[in-house]
Amino acid sequence: MKDKAAREAREIQRLEREQARPKRPGYLYYMLAIVSVVYISDEVATQIGNQMQSVVAQALFAPVFGADMAVARMSVLGTISMIGSFIALIYKPLADRYGRKRFLVMNTLGMGLGLIVISVAANIPVYLLGAFVIALFIPHDMQAVYILETTPPRHRAKLFSIIKAVATLGVMLIPLLRTLLMGDDTTKWRAVFAVPAAVAAGAALFALLMVRETDAFVVKRLEYLRMSPEQREAAQKEKTAEQAQGNVISAAKFCLRHRQLRWLLLGGAFLMWGMLITMYYETTMSYGYAGPFLAQGMALADAQAAAAPFVTQALFLFPIGSAALQLMQGFLSDHWGRKPAVIVMGVCAMAAFTLFFFGSRYNWSPPLVGLLCGAAIGSHWASTDIVGPLMCAESAPTNLRSSVLSVQPIMSGACSALAMGTGMALINKLGDASAGIVSLVIAVPGTLVGLLMIALKVRETKHVNLQAVTGREE
């Protein structure tokens, strides 16, 4: 007990010094700039596996499983990386106890490490190890917590969407590297993974040296540390959300008791059915643009290599379509409210992906197909971002916020696992060429059900003061 008291006394002193230390002029602006680069690293690490999907599948998986089932088997074995995601979501709540900054730095370095591992992979096990490492560090979104806890409430959604849009435009780095380093020689795919790893390492270094802990965390942590043992014991007995310290179990119990969060989690789970459209879009385009070459009698691998430049052209426009929709959602959220913005983005996701599917199948202009693909993916992530990092964060108290944001993807993921498993099983049975239609017939109904739940069961959270959220139901 004495050791614990001494540790807490030292922590109080450290946090009080941090609180008293004045911020440099313009701190908010350069902090947001650094966080934006971290966000770019996160988006690239998230999307690069999808945008290089058919290329990596043909290089590493086709020799073992065959060219026509390479992506399907890659998806099945890739579920091993989900172990990393679950581990990540278990340790993410530690940011509610130990602070946001160290996890911001560590997660960014971790994403870079995973990209490096994939860039040197010469076989399936090493590739899966790299995917596991990336999955371990991607789910934290600590850069999103920084944005939410440091920006003015009235402009929170706009600033969040602007930075997310900038980060999405950064995904253009992937097709740029495909063009400069790979072209139509798909054997040079490893170099495409190495450059973003260096960007992530640089972003982590700047975050370590120049970014400070968030004021919201410092205030709430000091409030807890200054409580007497009797006050802590009473808070534990009463299980008050205002005083509980963050961890997955307490956050999960809180979410299940809290009507607003319960419906956000359930509605978000059905919206997550739409995640299928984010998983196979490069394969959908690859098979679509390979169609004419297959009709000429080419082998599948050769036809996909010939189609690669067309896919790359489409991927150049992907970030623009995605960023435009994600930028739009922030202004809609702050002007109309969170719920209308979720509905608009969800409808856009369903409509844009439907058009993208037919455009890929019938060889529409690659730039148009890329724009539609980006619009579909961007509006899908925009709708889930409003529900997750935004509405869940605005409905949870500071001391449980990071923990609730950890629980949200776990519970939503568990509820949507059936749809994901069904989609993967169908693609493995029908072959890689079925990826587009399978995604379409699963994603659209799930998104529609999720939108109805959000519209009918969830209350608005626009302009809420995060530091004033207690977690009590109104």
Side-chain angles (χ1 to χ4, degrees):
M1 291 295 292
K2 290 183 179 179
D3 290 341
K4 180 180 179 181
R7 284 198 307 272
E8 291 189 350
R10 289 193 297 271
E11 186 177 359
I12 288 173
Q13 292 176 356
R14 178 178 62 81
L15 292 174
E16 286 177 341
R17 288 195 301 269
E18 174 75 8
Q19 194 175 41
R21 186 161 59 100
K23 291 183 174 68
R24 297 172 184 173
Y27 168 77
L28 178 63
Y29 300 104
Y30 71 73
M31 183 273 294
L32 289 177
I34 293 170
V35 167
S36 296
V37 179
V38 172
Y39 225 141
I40 290 173
S41 299
D42 182 279
E43 288 294 309
V44 170
T46 301
Q47 294 293 340
I48 194 167
N50 294 326
Q51 297 201 3
M52 296 292 291
Q53 188 177 64
S54 65
V55 175
V56 177
Q58 290 301 319
L60 298 180
F61 290 81
V64 179
F65 301 108
D68 60 336
M69 298 298 290
V71 172
R73 300 296 187 262
M74 182 182 181
S75 298
V76 172
L77 292 175
T79 57
I80 294 173
S81 66
M82 293 175 62
I83 300 172
S85 297
F86 282 113
I87 295 173
L89 296 173
I90 289 171
Y91 98 81
K92 179 178 177 179
L94 294 175
D96 283 333
R97 188 164 300 188
Y98 298 108
R100 315 314 195 196
K101 178 177 176 176
R102 65 184 68 187
F103 291 94
L104 180 73
V105 174
M106 184 168 59
N107 298 336
T108 309
L109 281 175
M111 288 184 285
L113 175 62
L115 292 170
I116 282 291
V117 171
I118 291 178
S119 74
V120 300
N123 53 54
I124 293 174
V126 176
Y127 168 80
L128 293 176
L129 175 62
F132 170 83
V133 174
I134 292 175
L136 183 62
F137 293 104
I138 275 182
H140 301 272
D141 287 335
M142 201 52 61
Q143 66 277 5
V145 176
Y146 258 89
I147 296 168
L148 294 172
E149 291 190 346
T150 56
T151 53
R154 291 190 62 82
H155 304 292
R156 185 182 298 129
K158 287 193 289 288
L159 287 171
F160 180 81
S161 66
I162 289 171
I163 293 173
K164 184 69 183 286
V166 170
T168 302
L169 288 175
V171 175
M172 199 177 290
L173 179 66
I174 302 171
L176 178 62
L177 293 173
R178 282 178 61 123
T179 299
L180 297 177
L181 302 179
M182 188 183 78
D184 59 0
D185 185 357
T186 56
T187 63
K188 297 179 179 178
W189 64 269
R190 290 178 178 82
V192 179
F193 286 83
V195 174
V199 174
L205 178 62
F206 276 99
L208 176 65
L209 297 177
M210 303 182 69
V211 173
R212 294 177 55 174
E213 188 57 77
T214 69
D215 291 338
F217 169 79
V218 172
V219 169
K220 201 65 182 181
R221 182 63 179 166
L222 281 172
E223 179 183 315
Y224 173 79
L225 292 171
R226 288 167 177 161
M227 292 171 63
S228 68
E230 292 77 17
Q231 289 174 317
R232 294 185 192 181
E233 184 178 355
Q236 181 64 27
K237 288 180 179 178
E238 296 170 11
K239 298 182 188 242
T240 55
E242 299 92 321
Q243 302 297 343
Q245 282 295 282
N247 60 68
V248 169
I249 295 175
S250 62
K253 290 179 179 178
F254 176 64
C255 288
L256 292 174
R257 292 195 306 265
H258 194 277
R259 182 181 182 277
Q260 167 85 350
L261 287 169
R262 189 167 62 246
W263 280 106
L264 282 171
L265 294 179
L266 190 56
F270 280 96
L271 289 180
M272 287 296 287
W273 285 30
M275 194 169 72
L276 272 173
I277 73 176
T278 74
M279 295 169 62
Y280 299 107
Y281 61 85
E282 193 266 355
T283 295
T284 302
M285 286 191 283
S286 181
Y287 269 87
Y289 288 110
F293 299 105
L294 290 171
Q296 296 172 15
M298 278 191 183
L300 177 58
D302 294 333
Q304 288 187 323
F310 297 99
V311 175
T312 300
Q313 287 180 45
L315 292 177
F316 265 114
L317 276 294
F318 170 93
I320 296 175
S322 183
L325 270 295
Q326 294 191 61
L327 180 63
M328 183 190 303
Q329 67 93 354
F331 290 88
L332 291 178
S333 292
D334 278 343
H335 184 67
W336 286 354
R338 311 317 193 207
K339 288 172 60 175
V342 171
I343 294 168
V344 170
M345 291 297 105
V347 171
C348 283
M350 292 186 289
F353 188 77
T354 301
L355 291 172
F356 160 74
F357 170 74
F358 285 106
S360 297
R361 189 162 188 168
Y362 295 108
N363 298 126
W364 292 0
S365 167
L368 175 59
V369 170
L371 280 172
L372 289 170
C373 181
I377 307 302
S379 49
H380 165 75
W381 287 126
S383 66
T384 57
D385 280 345
I386 297 169
V387 172
L390 204 56
M391 294 188 78
C392 283
E394 291 175 337
S395 302
T398 300
N399 54 298
L400 285 175
R401 187 165 298 125
S402 186
S403 301
V404 167
L405 294 182
S406 294
V407 167
Q408 187 260 334
I410 292 175
M411 299 183 74
S412 293
C415 292
S416 62
L418 179 60
M420 299 296 103
T422 301
M424 192 175 298
L426 288 172
I427 292 170
N428 272 271
K429 182 175 179 60
L430 301 174
D432 294 351
S434 68
I437 188 64
V438 170
S439 300
L440 183 67
V441 299
I442 290 178
V444 171
T447 299
L448 181 59
V449 172
L451 293 178
L452 288 173
M453 288 183 175
I454 299 298
L456 299 176
K457 297 293 186 178
V458 173
R459 72 171 185 272
E460 184 58 67
T461 62
K462 184 174 71 169
H463 298 163
V464 69
N465 181 352
L466 288 184
Q467 296 192 45
V469 176
T470 64
R472 292 194 180 98
E473 295 281 15
E474 296 180 356

